[in-house]
Amino acid sequence: MFRPKLPTMPQPTGIVTPPTVIEPTRITPGTPTTPPAPAPVPASTRPTIQLTPGTALALVGGGTAVVLVVGAVLVSMLLAVAITGASVAVCAVVLRSLLASDARRR
């Protein structure tokens, strides 16, 4: 009942051709060829990036803003988790106190 049932492999249907024999090819030595000369590399047509003091300052300012925003988001998430944990702990203490006082009255 609990043993898995393995499927049987299906048998091939239709015309089955026998395997063909492949004979190895012979390698005949030939005259050695010289490799072609390397082609000259064309010059790039893309403009190079030039950093001026203004663009460098803009990049530094943008990077700083991204780091500050990401840091603020992470700190706020950590603070939210801490506040939630503290409120759950307070609720647990209050419920424990209520249940203990209820048990003493009986």
Side-chain angles (χ1 to χ4, degrees):
M1 179 175 160
F2 293 109
R3 290 189 178 191
K5 295 180 181 178
L6 299 174
T8 58
M9 293 297 293
Q11 297 297 324
T13 58
I15 300 174
V16 178
T17 58
T20 58
V21 178
I22 300 174
E23 294 184 13
T25 57
R26 293 185 186 175
I27 299 174
T28 57
T31 59
T33 58
T34 59
V41 179
S44 177
T45 58
R46 296 187 309 176
T48 58
I49 298 175
Q50 296 177 355
L51 288 178
T52 62
T55 56
L57 187 64
L59 285 174
V60 169
T64 304
V66 167
V67 167
L68 289 177
V69 168
V70 169
V73 168
L74 291 177
V75 167
S76 65
M77 288 173 64
L78 181 64
L79 186 62
V81 169
I83 290 173
T84 304
S87 65
V88 167
V90 168
C91 289
V93 169
V94 169
L95 284 174
R96 182 178 176 190
S97 173
L98 287 174
L99 292 174
S101 67
D102 188 36
R104 289 181 191 158
R105 288 187 207 159
R106 292 183 183 176

